[in-house]
Structures are given as C-alpha cells and as structure tokens.
C-alpha cells in the first residue's frame, strides 16, 4: 500500500517537476574576454612579437633574393661544380627559410596560448562565480552562432554580471 502511495505521489508530482524552468545564462565569451584591461596589453605584446618575427622573415627573404639574383647574374660564367654548389646553397637557404617560417608560426601560436591562459582562467572563474551566485544551471557561450536564438524570458544575459565579477 505504501509503495502504491509513493508511485501515485511521484506520478502526480512529475508534471509539476517537468514544468519547472531551468535557469540559465548566456554571454559572448570573446566579447567579455576582449573587455578585460589585460587583453589589450596582451594583444600589443603579441603584435610586437609578431612584428619581430616578420622583420626576421623579411630579412631572410631579402638575403635569399639577393643571393638568387647574384646566382642568376653569374650562372653563365660559373664552372659546373660552382654552379651546382650555388644551386645547393640556394636550395638549403630556401629549406631553412620555410622551416623558420613554420617554426615561427608555431612559436607565435604557443606564445599567444600561454599569454591568453591567465586571462581565460580569470574569465572562467568569474563565469563560475556568477553561475553559482545566480543559481544558473549553465551559462552558454553565444559566440560562433552556437545559439542563434535564446528566449530572453527563459535565459538571462550575464555579460554585465561577469564583467562586474572581473573587476
């Protein structure tokens, strides 16, 4: 008899539970990240580092172009062994330049990841704080058209709350 009562009670309570709304928040992660004061400084540092790598790439390209022009100008006068030696040098230079470019892109990406890590960690902590304090079941990231529509009656834009928590 007691089991039947619990089953009946649970069956009657189930529609009420199903109608209970889940509270959730949403924000643009990128926009909030870019609003951090440290973001501008990080981007400036990355631009400076990128310009240093670009300057070095330009230097090695100019060096290669100069040697290539010298090769083209003198190739008619070179002995076959010298011609082959110069061609080998140019090929080695080209290979090193391509390898340097690939390595510099990898290093720039790694540096950006490392520079952004503390900012992302800070933002994640603020999102968690707002989520816990606001009693949200979850907070959605609206970047990249992940959520093309969110009913403002059912969810809440927490961008300002997260920005306040960051300060």
């Amino acid at each position: 008899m007691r089991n039947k009562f619990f089953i009946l009670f649970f069956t009657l309570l189930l529609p009420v539970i199903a109608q209970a709304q889940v509270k959730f928040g949403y924000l643009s992660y990128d926009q909030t990240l870019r609003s951090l004061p440290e973001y501008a400084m990080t981007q400036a540092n990355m631009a400076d580092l990128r310009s240093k790598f670009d300057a070095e790439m330009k230097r090695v390209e100019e060096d290669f172009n100069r040697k290539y022009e010298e090769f083209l100008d003198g190739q008619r006068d070179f002995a076959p062994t010298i011609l082959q030696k110069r061609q080998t040098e140019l090929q080695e230079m080209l290979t090193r330049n391509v390898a340097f470019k690939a390595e510099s892109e990898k290093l720039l990406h790694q540096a950006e990841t490392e520079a952004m890590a503390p900012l992302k960690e800070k933002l994640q902590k603020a999102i968690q704080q707002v989520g816990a304090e606001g009693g949200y079941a979850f907070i959605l990231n609206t970047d990249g058209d992940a959520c093309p529509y969110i009913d403002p009656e059912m969810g809440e834009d927490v961008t300002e709350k997260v920005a306040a928590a960051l300060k």
Side-chain angles (χ1 to χ4, degrees):
M1 179 73 173
R2 190 169 202 178
N3 286 340
K4 289 182 182 180
F5 175 73
F6 283 117
I7 292 172
L8 178 64
F9 179 73
F10 184 72
T11 306
L12 293 174
L13 189 60
L14 188 59
V16 174
I17 292 171
Q19 288 182 351
Q21 289 185 347
V22 174
K23 186 176 176 184
F24 70 92
Y26 58 92
L27 66 99
S28 168
Y29 190 89
D30 288 339
Q31 176 186 348
T32 308
L33 185 65
R34 289 182 180 129
S35 71
L36 289 170
E38 300 96 332
Y39 182 82
M41 177 186 260
T42 301
Q43 291 302 306
N45 290 344
M46 286 306 304
D48 183 47
L49 183 60
R50 195 170 285 110
S51 69
K52 289 177 182 175
F53 275 103
D54 289 344
E56 181 61 16
M57 275 304 300
K58 185 176 180 180
R59 187 193 68 76
V60 295
E61 283 177 15
E62 289 172 352
D63 190 33
F64 176 81
N65 290 339
R66 182 182 46 78
K67 286 200 179 248
Y68 184 67
E69 288 175 13
E70 289 174 1
F71 170 77
L72 290 177
D73 290 342
Q75 73 180 356
R76 289 178 202 82
D77 301 330
F78 294 145
T81 55
I82 294 174
L83 181 66
Q84 188 169 358
K85 177 186 174 284
R86 297 271 178 107
Q87 286 174 332
T88 304
E89 285 176 357
L90 287 171
Q91 185 60 44
E92 288 173 355
M93 279 183 80
L94 184 61
T95 303
R96 282 193 314 267
N97 291 352
V98 169
F100 174 74
K101 185 173 184 176
E103 182 68 16
S104 65
E105 287 174 6
K106 178 183 164 192
L107 291 172
L108 282 169
H109 179 72
Q110 181 180 351
E112 185 171 19
T113 300
E114 290 173 3
M116 294 299 289
L119 300 179
K120 289 183 177 185
E121 184 178 329
K122 181 178 180 179
L123 178 56
Q124 187 60 35
K125 285 180 182 178
I127 291 171
Q128 289 175 352
Q129 177 186 346
V130 167
E133 290 174 358
Y136 299 106
F138 52 89
I139 296 179
L140 296 172
N141 179 3
T142 59
D143 293 337
D145 296 328
C147 301
Y149 174 75
I150 297 175
D151 186 351
E153 297 288 324
M154 301 187 88
E156 181 180 354
D157 186 352
V158 295
T159 304
E160 295 301 320
K161 290 180 180 180
V162 171
L166 289 167
K167 294 179 180 173

